[in-house]
Amino acid sequence: MAGCCSALGAFLFEYDTPRIVLIRSRKVGLMNRVVQLLILAYVIGWVFVWEKGYQETDSVVSSVTTKAKGVAVTNTSELGFRIWDVADYVIPAQEENSLFIMTNMIITVNQTQSTCPEIPDQTTVCNSDSDCTVGSAGTHSNGIGTGKCVPFNESVKTCEVAAWCPLENDAGVPTPAFLKSAENFTLLVKNNIWYPKFNFSKRNILPNVTTSYLKSCVYDARTDPFCPIFRLGRIVEDAGHSFQEMAVEGGIMGIQIKWDCNLDRAASLCLPRYSFRRLDTRDLEHNVSPGYNFRFAKYYRDLTGNEQRTLIKAYGIRFDIIVFGKATVLCDVIVLYCMKKRYYYRDKKYKYVEDYEQGLAGEMDH
Amino acid sequence: MAGCCSALGAFLFEYDTPRIVLIRSRKVGLMNRVVQLLILAYVIGWVFVWEKGYQETDSVVSSVTTKAKGVAVTNTSELGFRIWDVADYVIPAQEENSLFIMTNMIITVNQTQSTCPEIPDQTTVCNSDSDCTVGSAGTHSNGIGTGKCVPFNESVKTCEVAAWCPLENDAGVPTPAFLKSAENFTLLVKNNIWYPKFNFSKRNILPNVTTSYLKSCVYDARTDPFCPIFRLGRIVEDAGHSFQEMAVEGGIMGIQIKWDCNLDRAASLCLPRYSFRRLDTRDLEHNVSPGYNFRFAKYYRDLTGNEQRTLIKAYGIRFDIIVFGKATVLCDVIVLYCMKKRYYYRDKKYKYVEDYEQGLAGEMDH
Amino acid sequence: MAGCCSALGAFLFEYDTPRIVLIRSRKVGLMNRVVQLLILAYVIGWVFVWEKGYQETDSVVSSVTTKAKGVAVTNTSELGFRIWDVADYVIPAQEENSLFIMTNMIITVNQTQSTCPEIPDQTTVCNSDSDCTVGSAGTHSNGIGTGKCVPFNESVKTCEVAAWCPLENDAGVPTPAFLKSAENFTLLVKNNIWYPKFNFSKRNILPNVTTSYLKSCVYDARTDPFCPIFRLGRIVEDAGHSFQEMAVEGGIMGIQIKWDCNLDRAASLCLPRYSFRRLDTRDLEHNVSPGYNFRFAKYYRDLTGNEQRTLIKAYGIRFDIIVFGKATVLCDVIVLYCMKKRYYYRDKKYKYVEDYEQGLAGEMDH
């Protein structure tokens, strides 16, 4: 019990600290301070200034809506004179962070459920019915084989299939692109951001933007960097590509919106920065399966009630809106607290130690 | 060689440690322990308890499906008595983490590819054909100019365009919203989560939920916090907005599902928490381009085979389901190992040092 | 002033360092080195080798496109012989990171806006008009009550509703799945990745893949691990499920693409790794509201211009493509700099200290 008490007393009332040697040497002293200075510079320069280690950060929560505008006109023998507007070329009508604009297409009109010869190809060309299998359906075939060999045109015979007939012939992509004037369409991007930790929200249509400015402006990195309306051709050009080339086979464009906000400064300085990037491949040497396309159909009933459809293989550009963002706030409290504490500790430590060490150092020098 | 050996011997068999001064002073000793206690409290309180630095965390992988239910009825001169069900008002029919419910609309029926006068506006009103340009297609025009100036109504003449005619006139948004009863529609949200690192998965339809409860329950933060069926009106109200106001021009609602799971406790305590937030702007003073709308069309063939369409400018609420989540597991092994090691080191260090230092301290006191 | 100068001089030209005790004991010395070795092994083993703390990492930015291929045939009394191709079973035609393939369905043809008896159910069965409320529209009802009680069939009477009639009867899901041959459909996934920090981009169609290989290959984890074409049945099987079972009620499959790239090595070693996982629930005991389905409609006009529609309740598999990825680069500069600095410091420290300490240690031994 007494031993326990004395141990507790020793624990509480005794203080052990290393004995310090004080070396009075200009060379060593200066060297020491230079090294300390370098470390200090490193800590301040790298951790604080460069990495901003003193700031509290938050990631962005964002919502995006898009709206395309523009009209294209085409005049072909098959479709005649035809106007294309938003409801025709945006597919599907709405998506979450993305918008597809059809720029080229292969249309196959008046398809019905019937039988017709396959598109010629090394597996479908035939001489007689014995070359064709009943019920066959390869991955690349357009229908179910009927087992007959029928003329595709005057010179070639192919296996007959039950399918949506006539079959689509997508051998050649229209060049230039069918809706090449899509270059002049515009895209309004509305983006709201929110930093949950700081409960700070903002949108890319800035408070000083008026309705009349919004009606006439077009984004330009130099003259109109905060206009949220983009000309499609400009987006693709700013990413270093040719719109007319991209329109033929389609592709994916990324519209990047960057919100790096220092919330210690005025909220009006937290501004969006736009940049554009082609997201699909540009590897020209290994250009297997390029571009972006998909098929969809419009279904009709003919006069007798039978189902018909117009099949469209749509090539186009999908605009993916990608929102990056980080908000930083200097966490004053913690830094101040740390600083204070550090000096406090230093004071405390040095007050008691110095006397002894000075004395010891003095002894040693002598 | 001998020098090398002796250096190696010195390296292996010698141990250098700072000489310690033991100060027998109640003031200094207590101060020292108090400071140590503060640091300890800070480390335990901040790093461990607050920041949970001892836990291993994992982010969530989630899949979301949604399903709306409800029927609305409208009775207008143009459309007559009409019932609207899920297949009518959810556009597109399925999306990945999102669901759009149409609440208001401007319908333009029986559009065909023809020519008609533009909607009057400062750029389209004209007096004679010389005011109209052939082939013009501004970003805001609805078609391609034919160069003619034709009467829009008895008092106004506008330039004629080739377009889907008649043109949509979206000057006024129907108020109150066309499908105002969408307030009572319900939304079932199914959410599966998975923490890859811990291979833990769960879904928001909890194991104790029965089919009969699911058929009748509606989410309420107090009475039914785990019912995954939400009344649309309630979602908007819980976010502090008016459904009927929002229904007119549309908007984006975020349904946030938070899964913060401490996997050290029973899996049944890992529960979803729902919250709602309007994601589009609420900046009433600078309300440029508010709400959310888009256009889509339903295509028909008339009796002569010509294409017709019904154009719909759909206003509505997009519900974005945002899943947050973090799972934590106390990594016992590492903490125990660290603890053990620390004591081990301390033991080892103090066993040898103490004798010397006690002796030295004793010498110094004398 | 003089005091200030001397303080500055002391600060600059003096160097204090702990006095060191050198203990010449084999036991203590070896113990010390062993402990140091353990710490070093821990630092190198855990922080460097395991956690790769020396590397700079970057998260992936990815774009995904998908394309399904395949034809199914059905032969039912209601629809007759019918071929289903991509435009029929992919809904919607394109999505950002996801693709839905319809595998089963309940079709209700020729729906018109009219009145019809509700589907029998404990709330809709009635004996007389007094059991039915005019204008009622419960969440689960298919239309608006007319207040009449009409025969549903010869034995049962139900309340009449104004709705899209005839109503869909989804009591039984077709088993086996209507489009059970979807098992043999294939899915081409094109994925481009980009590491912004290192400006490194790559796609999952590797440079050495030829067009002819792409036309014939099918993914197999052992024989064709880099073929980006997946057989649907194989995806589901690799995740440990039965395609035919999943096809009946639908579900969500995750196709995970993992790009863990060490950019210090050749870019050709940065390869995608595919894995498959069912994302919706597998909790067989509590299987409330299983699978995945939604409703959509195809709208027609009949000969008199009235709107008709075909309502489809589509069951199917949604393939969510989830791209994970981390690129690491050894940040040589920093590591080298740290190493250099450490040795530099050590040198500097030891040069001056050793003399004194050796002397002191010597003194003490005597």
Side-chain angles (χ1 to χ4, degrees), chain A residues 11 15 17 19 67 85 88 94, chain B residues 19 21 23 33 292-293 299 307 309:
Chain A
F11 175 76
Y15 174 53
T17 185
R19 294 175 70 180
K67 188 170 229 175
D85 70 5
D88 297 322
Q94 75 103 5
Chain B
R19 294 175 69 183
V21 191
I23 302 166
R33 294 301 168 195
Y292 183 46
N293 65 72
Y299 295 85
E307 201 172 16
R309 72 174 196 186

mmCIF file with all atom_site columns, all heavy atoms in Angstrom, chain A residues 11 15 17 19 67 85 88 94, chain B residues 19 21 23 33 292-293 299 307 309:
data_model
loop_
_atom_site.group_PDB
_atom_site.id
_atom_site.type_symbol
_atom_site.label_atom_id
_atom_site.label_alt_id
_atom_site.label_comp_id
_atom_site.label_asym_id
_atom_site.label_entity_id
_atom_site.label_seq_id
_atom_site.pdbx_PDB_ins_code
_atom_site.Cartn_x
_atom_site.Cartn_y
_atom_site.Cartn_z
_atom_site.occupancy
_atom_site.B_iso_or_equiv
_atom_site.pdbx_formal_charge
_atom_site.auth_seq_id
_atom_site.auth_comp_id
_atom_site.auth_asym_id
_atom_site.auth_atom_id
_atom_site.pdbx_PDB_model_num
ATOM 1   N N   . PHE A 1 11  ? 4.905   8.757  -9.900  1.00 0.00 ? 11  PHE A N   1
ATOM 2   C CA  . PHE A 1 11  ? 4.307   8.893  -11.224 1.00 0.00 ? 11  PHE A CA  1
ATOM 3   C C   . PHE A 1 11  ? 3.760   10.297 -11.433 1.00 0.00 ? 11  PHE A C   1
ATOM 4   O O   . PHE A 1 11  ? 3.891   10.893 -12.491 1.00 0.00 ? 11  PHE A O   1
ATOM 5   C CB  . PHE A 1 11  ? 3.186   7.859  -11.386 1.00 0.00 ? 11  PHE A CB  1
ATOM 6   C CG  . PHE A 1 11  ? 2.429   7.988  -12.673 1.00 0.00 ? 11  PHE A CG  1
ATOM 7   C CD1 . PHE A 1 11  ? 2.998   7.538  -13.864 1.00 0.00 ? 11  PHE A CD1 1
ATOM 8   C CD2 . PHE A 1 11  ? 1.175   8.567  -12.697 1.00 0.00 ? 11  PHE A CD2 1
ATOM 9   C CE1 . PHE A 1 11  ? 2.312   7.664  -15.052 1.00 0.00 ? 11  PHE A CE1 1
ATOM 10  C CE2 . PHE A 1 11  ? 0.498   8.687  -13.887 1.00 0.00 ? 11  PHE A CE2 1
ATOM 11  C CZ  . PHE A 1 11  ? 1.059   8.238  -15.069 1.00 0.00 ? 11  PHE A CZ  1
ATOM 12  N N   . TYR A 1 15  ? 9.130   14.194 -13.034 1.00 0.00 ? 15  TYR A N   1
ATOM 13  C CA  . TYR A 1 15  ? 9.114   14.495 -14.466 1.00 0.00 ? 15  TYR A CA  1
ATOM 14  C C   . TYR A 1 15  ? 10.473  14.148 -15.024 1.00 0.00 ? 15  TYR A C   1
ATOM 15  O O   . TYR A 1 15  ? 11.486  14.649 -14.556 1.00 0.00 ? 15  TYR A O   1
ATOM 16  C CB  . TYR A 1 15  ? 8.829   15.996 -14.646 1.00 0.00 ? 15  TYR A CB  1
ATOM 17  C CG  . TYR A 1 15  ? 8.921   16.462 -16.074 1.00 0.00 ? 15  TYR A CG  1
ATOM 18  C CD1 . TYR A 1 15  ? 8.193   15.828 -17.086 1.00 0.00 ? 15  TYR A CD1 1
ATOM 19  C CD2 . TYR A 1 15  ? 9.724   17.536 -16.406 1.00 0.00 ? 15  TYR A CD2 1
ATOM 20  C CE1 . TYR A 1 15  ? 8.284   16.266 -18.376 1.00 0.00 ? 15  TYR A CE1 1
ATOM 21  C CE2 . TYR A 1 15  ? 9.805   17.987 -17.702 1.00 0.00 ? 15  TYR A CE2 1
ATOM 22  C CZ  . TYR A 1 15  ? 9.089   17.336 -18.688 1.00 0.00 ? 15  TYR A CZ  1
ATOM 23  O OH  . TYR A 1 15  ? 9.174   17.769 -19.974 1.00 0.00 ? 15  TYR A OH  1
ATOM 24  N N   . THR A 1 17  ? 13.032  14.045 -18.305 1.00 0.00 ? 17  THR A N   1
ATOM 25  C CA  . THR A 1 17  ? 13.246  14.690 -19.601 1.00 0.00 ? 17  THR A CA  1
ATOM 26  C C   . THR A 1 17  ? 14.686  14.406 -20.002 1.00 0.00 ? 17  THR A C   1
ATOM 27  O O   . THR A 1 17  ? 15.557  14.234 -19.135 1.00 0.00 ? 17  THR A O   1
ATOM 28  C CB  . THR A 1 17  ? 12.987  16.202 -19.468 1.00 0.00 ? 17  THR A CB  1
ATOM 29  O OG1 . THR A 1 17  ? 13.086  16.785 -20.736 1.00 0.00 ? 17  THR A OG1 1
ATOM 30  C CG2 . THR A 1 17  ? 13.964  16.883 -18.515 1.00 0.00 ? 17  THR A CG2 1
ATOM 31  N N   . ARG A 1 19  ? 18.515  14.739 -20.922 1.00 0.00 ? 19  ARG A N   1
ATOM 32  C CA  . ARG A 1 19  ? 19.551  15.745 -20.666 1.00 0.00 ? 19  ARG A CA  1
ATOM 33  C C   . ARG A 1 19  ? 20.045  16.242 -22.012 1.00 0.00 ? 19  ARG A C   1
ATOM 34  O O   . ARG A 1 19  ? 20.212  15.480 -22.950 1.00 0.00 ? 19  ARG A O   1
ATOM 35  C CB  . ARG A 1 19  ? 20.698  15.126 -19.879 1.00 0.00 ? 19  ARG A CB  1
ATOM 36  C CG  . ARG A 1 19  ? 20.277  14.712 -18.483 1.00 0.00 ? 19  ARG A CG  1
ATOM 37  C CD  . ARG A 1 19  ? 21.378  14.011 -17.771 1.00 0.00 ? 19  ARG A CD  1
ATOM 38  N NE  . ARG A 1 19  ? 22.465  14.910 -17.436 1.00 0.00 ? 19  ARG A NE  1
ATOM 39  C CZ  . ARG A 1 19  ? 23.566  14.507 -16.803 1.00 0.00 ? 19  ARG A CZ  1
ATOM 40  N NH1 . ARG A 1 19  ? 23.715  13.231 -16.483 1.00 0.00 ? 19  ARG A NH1 1
ATOM 41  N NH2 . ARG A 1 19  ? 24.513  15.365 -16.515 1.00 0.00 ? 19  ARG A NH2 1
ATOM 42  N N   . LYS A 1 67  ? -30.974 20.411 -72.500 1.00 0.00 ? 67  LYS A N   1
ATOM 43  C CA  . LYS A 1 67  ? -32.018 20.708 -73.475 1.00 0.00 ? 67  LYS A CA  1
ATOM 44  C C   . LYS A 1 67  ? -31.376 21.123 -74.783 1.00 0.00 ? 67  LYS A C   1
ATOM 45  O O   . LYS A 1 67  ? -30.602 22.081 -74.827 1.00 0.00 ? 67  LYS A O   1
ATOM 46  C CB  . LYS A 1 67  ? -32.905 21.829 -72.940 1.00 0.00 ? 67  LYS A CB  1
ATOM 47  C CG  . LYS A 1 67  ? -34.114 22.053 -73.803 1.00 0.00 ? 67  LYS A CG  1
ATOM 48  C CD  . LYS A 1 67  ? -35.057 22.989 -73.119 1.00 0.00 ? 67  LYS A CD  1
ATOM 49  C CE  . LYS A 1 67  ? -36.445 22.422 -73.139 1.00 0.00 ? 67  LYS A CE  1
ATOM 50  N NZ  . LYS A 1 67  ? -37.372 23.252 -72.384 1.00 0.00 ? 67  LYS A NZ  1
ATOM 51  N N   . ASP A 1 85  ? -36.763 17.891 -85.852 1.00 0.00 ? 85  ASP A N   1
ATOM 52  C CA  . ASP A 1 85  ? -36.628 18.740 -84.667 1.00 0.00 ? 85  ASP A CA  1
ATOM 53  C C   . ASP A 1 85  ? -36.287 17.907 -83.434 1.00 0.00 ? 85  ASP A C   1
ATOM 54  O O   . ASP A 1 85  ? -36.044 16.704 -83.532 1.00 0.00 ? 85  ASP A O   1
ATOM 55  C CB  . ASP A 1 85  ? -37.851 19.639 -84.477 1.00 0.00 ? 85  ASP A CB  1
ATOM 56  C CG  . ASP A 1 85  ? -39.083 18.860 -84.059 1.00 0.00 ? 85  ASP A CG  1
ATOM 57  O OD1 . ASP A 1 85  ? -38.983 17.644 -83.830 1.00 0.00 ? 85  ASP A OD1 1
ATOM 58  O OD2 . ASP A 1 85  ? -40.165 19.476 -83.979 1.00 0.00 ? 85  ASP A OD2 1
ATOM 59  N N   . ASP A 1 88  ? -37.494 14.557 -82.726 1.00 0.00 ? 88  ASP A N   1
ATOM 60  C CA  . ASP A 1 88  ? -37.078 13.536 -83.692 1.00 0.00 ? 88  ASP A CA  1
ATOM 61  C C   . ASP A 1 88  ? -35.667 13.018 -83.433 1.00 0.00 ? 88  ASP A C   1
ATOM 62  O O   . ASP A 1 88  ? -35.388 11.843 -83.638 1.00 0.00 ? 88  ASP A O   1
ATOM 63  C CB  . ASP A 1 88  ? -37.100 14.113 -85.116 1.00 0.00 ? 88  ASP A CB  1
ATOM 64  C CG  . ASP A 1 88  ? -38.488 14.524 -85.565 1.00 0.00 ? 88  ASP A CG  1
ATOM 65  O OD1 . ASP A 1 88  ? -39.441 13.808 -85.221 1.00 0.00 ? 88  ASP A OD1 1
ATOM 66  O OD2 . ASP A 1 88  ? -38.617 15.550 -86.254 1.00 0.00 ? 88  ASP A OD2 1
ATOM 67  N N   . GLN A 1 94  ? -35.308 11.899 -72.529 1.00 0.00 ? 94  GLN A N   1
ATOM 68  C CA  . GLN A 1 94  ? -34.586 12.454 -71.383 1.00 0.00 ? 94  GLN A CA  1
ATOM 69  C C   . GLN A 1 94  ? -33.756 11.371 -70.729 1.00 0.00 ? 94  GLN A C   1
ATOM 70  O O   . GLN A 1 94  ? -34.138 10.210 -70.675 1.00 0.00 ? 94  GLN A O   1
ATOM 71  C CB  . GLN A 1 94  ? -35.547 13.120 -70.391 1.00 0.00 ? 94  GLN A CB  1
ATOM 72  C CG  . GLN A 1 94  ? -36.370 12.197 -69.542 1.00 0.00 ? 94  GLN A CG  1
ATOM 73  C CD  . GLN A 1 94  ? -35.843 12.081 -68.122 1.00 0.00 ? 94  GLN A CD  1
ATOM 74  O OE1 . GLN A 1 94  ? -34.919 12.761 -67.743 1.00 0.00 ? 94  GLN A OE1 1
ATOM 75  N NE2 . GLN A 1 94  ? -36.414 11.167 -67.374 1.00 0.00 ? 94  GLN A NE2 1
ATOM 76  N N   . ARG B 1 19  ? 20.154  10.178 -22.121 1.00 0.00 ? 19  ARG B N   1
ATOM 77  C CA  . ARG B 1 19  ? 20.225  10.235 -20.657 1.00 0.00 ? 19  ARG B CA  1
ATOM 78  C C   . ARG B 1 19  ? 19.050  11.058 -20.171 1.00 0.00 ? 19  ARG B C   1
ATOM 79  O O   . ARG B 1 19  ? 18.676  12.054 -20.776 1.00 0.00 ? 19  ARG B O   1
ATOM 80  C CB  . ARG B 1 19  ? 21.536  10.873 -20.212 1.00 0.00 ? 19  ARG B CB  1
ATOM 81  C CG  . ARG B 1 19  ? 22.729  10.005 -20.577 1.00 0.00 ? 19  ARG B CG  1
ATOM 82  C CD  . ARG B 1 19  ? 24.017  10.706 -20.227 1.00 0.00 ? 19  ARG B CD  1
ATOM 83  N NE  . ARG B 1 19  ? 24.201  10.811 -18.798 1.00 0.00 ? 19  ARG B NE  1
ATOM 84  C CZ  . ARG B 1 19  ? 25.232  11.451 -18.261 1.00 0.00 ? 19  ARG B CZ  1
ATOM 85  N NH1 . ARG B 1 19  ? 26.115  12.049 -19.032 1.00 0.00 ? 19  ARG B NH1 1
ATOM 86  N NH2 . ARG B 1 19  ? 25.368  11.509 -16.956 1.00 0.00 ? 19  ARG B NH2 1
ATOM 87  N N   . VAL B 1 21  ? 16.867  13.124 -17.230 1.00 0.00 ? 21  VAL B N   1
ATOM 88  C CA  . VAL B 1 21  ? 16.882  13.848 -15.967 1.00 0.00 ? 21  VAL B CA  1
ATOM 89  C C   . VAL B 1 21  ? 15.558  13.602 -15.275 1.00 0.00 ? 21  VAL B C   1
ATOM 90  O O   . VAL B 1 21  ? 14.513  13.742 -15.906 1.00 0.00 ? 21  VAL B O   1
ATOM 91  C CB  . VAL B 1 21  ? 17.019  15.362 -16.207 1.00 0.00 ? 21  VAL B CB  1
ATOM 92  C CG1 . VAL B 1 21  ? 17.297  16.082 -14.905 1.00 0.00 ? 21  VAL B CG1 1
ATOM 93  C CG2 . VAL B 1 21  ? 18.058  15.656 -17.253 1.00 0.00 ? 21  VAL B CG2 1
ATOM 94  N N   . ILE B 1 23  ? 13.128  15.008 -12.618 1.00 0.00 ? 23  ILE B N   1
ATOM 95  C CA  . ILE B 1 23  ? 12.918  16.214 -11.818 1.00 0.00 ? 23  ILE B CA  1
ATOM 96  C C   . ILE B 1 23  ? 11.887  15.907 -10.755 1.00 0.00 ? 23  ILE B C   1
ATOM 97  O O   . ILE B 1 23  ? 10.742  15.596 -11.069 1.00 0.00 ? 23  ILE B O   1
ATOM 98  C CB  . ILE B 1 23  ? 12.442  17.363 -12.733 1.00 0.00 ? 23  ILE B CB  1
ATOM 99  C CG1 . ILE B 1 23  ? 13.483  17.599 -13.838 1.00 0.00 ? 23  ILE B CG1 1
ATOM 100 C CG2 . ILE B 1 23  ? 12.227  18.632 -11.928 1.00 0.00 ? 23  ILE B CG2 1
ATOM 101 C CD1 . ILE B 1 23  ? 12.969  18.455 -14.957 1.00 0.00 ? 23  ILE B CD1 1
ATOM 102 N N   . ARG B 1 33  ? 1.982   15.440 -16.367 1.00 0.00 ? 33  ARG B N   1
ATOM 103 C CA  . ARG B 1 33  ? 0.940   14.416 -16.479 1.00 0.00 ? 33  ARG B CA  1
ATOM 104 C C   . ARG B 1 33  ? -0.343  14.999 -17.050 1.00 0.00 ? 33  ARG B C   1
ATOM 105 O O   . ARG B 1 33  ? -1.034  14.353 -17.825 1.00 0.00 ? 33  ARG B O   1
ATOM 106 C CB  . ARG B 1 33  ? 0.667   13.785 -15.102 1.00 0.00 ? 33  ARG B CB  1
ATOM 107 C CG  . ARG B 1 33  ? 1.818   12.990 -14.530 1.00 0.00 ? 33  ARG B CG  1
ATOM 108 C CD  . ARG B 1 33  ? 2.256   11.851 -15.420 1.00 0.00 ? 33  ARG B CD  1
ATOM 109 N NE  . ARG B 1 33  ? 3.526   11.299 -14.955 1.00 0.00 ? 33  ARG B NE  1
ATOM 110 C CZ  . ARG B 1 33  ? 4.301   10.492 -15.673 1.00 0.00 ? 33  ARG B CZ  1
ATOM 111 N NH1 . ARG B 1 33  ? 3.952   10.167 -16.910 1.00 0.00 ? 33  ARG B NH1 1
ATOM 112 N NH2 . ARG B 1 33  ? 5.437   10.027 -15.204 1.00 0.00 ? 33  ARG B NH2 1
ATOM 113 N N   . TYR B 1 292 ? -38.147 21.791 -65.028 1.00 0.00 ? 292 TYR B N   1
ATOM 114 C CA  . TYR B 1 292 ? -37.606 20.724 -65.855 1.00 0.00 ? 292 TYR B CA  1
ATOM 115 C C   . TYR B 1 292 ? -38.652 20.293 -66.861 1.00 0.00 ? 292 TYR B C   1
ATOM 116 O O   . TYR B 1 292 ? -39.773 19.942 -66.495 1.00 0.00 ? 292 TYR B O   1
ATOM 117 C CB  . TYR B 1 292 ? -37.209 19.541 -64.965 1.00 0.00 ? 292 TYR B CB  1
ATOM 118 C CG  . TYR B 1 292 ? -36.568 18.403 -65.719 1.00 0.00 ? 292 TYR B CG  1
ATOM 119 C CD1 . TYR B 1 292 ? -35.573 18.660 -66.660 1.00 0.00 ? 292 TYR B CD1 1
ATOM 120 C CD2 . TYR B 1 292 ? -36.942 17.090 -65.522 1.00 0.00 ? 292 TYR B CD2 1
ATOM 121 C CE1 . TYR B 1 292 ? -34.973 17.642 -67.366 1.00 0.00 ? 292 TYR B CE1 1
ATOM 122 C CE2 . TYR B 1 292 ? -36.339 16.053 -66.218 1.00 0.00 ? 292 TYR B CE2 1
ATOM 123 C CZ  . TYR B 1 292 ? -35.360 16.341 -67.139 1.00 0.00 ? 292 TYR B CZ  1
ATOM 124 O OH  . TYR B 1 292 ? -34.774 15.323 -67.842 1.00 0.00 ? 292 TYR B OH  1
ATOM 125 N N   . ASN B 1 293 ? -38.304 20.366 -68.114 1.00 0.00 ? 293 ASN B N   1
ATOM 126 C CA  . ASN B 1 293 ? -39.209 19.891 -69.151 1.00 0.00 ? 293 ASN B CA  1
ATOM 127 C C   . ASN B 1 293 ? -38.410 19.403 -70.344 1.00 0.00 ? 293 ASN B C   1
ATOM 128 O O   . ASN B 1 293 ? -37.240 19.727 -70.503 1.00 0.00 ? 293 ASN B O   1
ATOM 129 C CB  . ASN B 1 293 ? -40.173 21.001 -69.579 1.00 0.00 ? 293 ASN B CB  1
ATOM 130 C CG  . ASN B 1 293 ? -39.448 22.143 -70.244 1.00 0.00 ? 293 ASN B CG  1
ATOM 131 O OD1 . ASN B 1 293 ? -38.973 22.021 -71.364 1.00 0.00 ? 293 ASN B OD1 1
ATOM 132 N ND2 . ASN B 1 293 ? -39.335 23.270 -69.536 1.00 0.00 ? 293 ASN B ND2 1
ATOM 133 N N   . TYR B 1 299 ? -45.551 8.905  -82.779 1.00 0.00 ? 299 TYR B N   1
ATOM 134 C CA  . TYR B 1 299 ? -45.673 8.948  -84.228 1.00 0.00 ? 299 TYR B CA  1
ATOM 135 C C   . TYR B 1 299 ? -46.799 8.030  -84.698 1.00 0.00 ? 299 TYR B C   1
ATOM 136 O O   . TYR B 1 299 ? -46.955 6.914  -84.194 1.00 0.00 ? 299 TYR B O   1
ATOM 137 C CB  . TYR B 1 299 ? -44.357 8.538  -84.875 1.00 0.00 ? 299 TYR B CB  1
ATOM 138 C CG  . TYR B 1 299 ? -43.249 9.526  -84.578 1.00 0.00 ? 299 TYR B CG  1
ATOM 139 C CD1 . TYR B 1 299 ? -42.511 9.446  -83.408 1.00 0.00 ? 299 TYR B CD1 1
ATOM 140 C CD2 . TYR B 1 299 ? -42.957 10.551 -85.465 1.00 0.00 ? 299 TYR B CD2 1
ATOM 141 C CE1 . TYR B 1 299 ? -41.513 10.358 -83.122 1.00 0.00 ? 299 TYR B CE1 1
ATOM 142 C CE2 . TYR B 1 299 ? -41.955 11.476 -85.193 1.00 0.00 ? 299 TYR B CE2 1
ATOM 143 C CZ  . TYR B 1 299 ? -41.246 11.367 -84.017 1.00 0.00 ? 299 TYR B CZ  1
ATOM 144 O OH  . TYR B 1 299 ? -40.268 12.284 -83.733 1.00 0.00 ? 299 TYR B OH  1
ATOM 145 N N   . GLU B 1 307 ? -46.899 10.310 -92.293 1.00 0.00 ? 307 GLU B N   1
ATOM 146 C CA  . GLU B 1 307 ? -46.526 10.299 -90.883 1.00 0.00 ? 307 GLU B CA  1
ATOM 147 C C   . GLU B 1 307 ? -47.155 11.493 -90.181 1.00 0.00 ? 307 GLU B C   1
ATOM 148 O O   . GLU B 1 307 ? -47.121 12.623 -90.675 1.00 0.00 ? 307 GLU B O   1
ATOM 149 C CB  . GLU B 1 307 ? -45.006 10.338 -90.748 1.00 0.00 ? 307 GLU B CB  1
ATOM 150 C CG  . GLU B 1 307 ? -44.529 9.827  -89.409 1.00 0.00 ? 307 GLU B CG  1
ATOM 151 C CD  . GLU B 1 307 ? -43.010 9.681  -89.349 1.00 0.00 ? 307 GLU B CD  1
ATOM 152 O OE1 . GLU B 1 307 ? -42.323 10.251 -90.210 1.00 0.00 ? 307 GLU B OE1 1
ATOM 153 O OE2 . GLU B 1 307 ? -42.529 8.997  -88.440 1.00 0.00 ? 307 GLU B OE2 1
ATOM 154 N N   . ARG B 1 309 ? -47.671 13.119 -86.000 1.00 0.00 ? 309 ARG B N   1
ATOM 155 C CA  . ARG B 1 309 ? -47.184 12.909 -84.644 1.00 0.00 ? 309 ARG B CA  1
ATOM 156 C C   . ARG B 1 309 ? -47.960 13.772 -83.668 1.00 0.00 ? 309 ARG B C   1
ATOM 157 O O   . ARG B 1 309 ? -48.547 14.791 -84.046 1.00 0.00 ? 309 ARG B O   1
ATOM 158 C CB  . ARG B 1 309 ? -45.679 13.165 -84.526 1.00 0.00 ? 309 ARG B CB  1
ATOM 159 C CG  . ARG B 1 309 ? -45.299 14.608 -84.624 1.00 0.00 ? 309 ARG B CG  1
ATOM 160 C CD  . ARG B 1 309 ? -43.792 14.817 -84.358 1.00 0.00 ? 309 ARG B CD  1
ATOM 161 N NE  . ARG B 1 309 ? -43.542 16.226 -84.079 1.00 0.00 ? 309 ARG B NE  1
ATOM 162 C CZ  . ARG B 1 309 ? -42.348 16.766 -83.927 1.00 0.00 ? 309 ARG B CZ  1
ATOM 163 N NH1 . ARG B 1 309 ? -41.262 16.016 -84.052 1.00 0.00 ? 309 ARG B NH1 1
ATOM 164 N NH2 . ARG B 1 309 ? -42.205 18.043 -83.653 1.00 0.00 ? 309 ARG B NH2 1
#
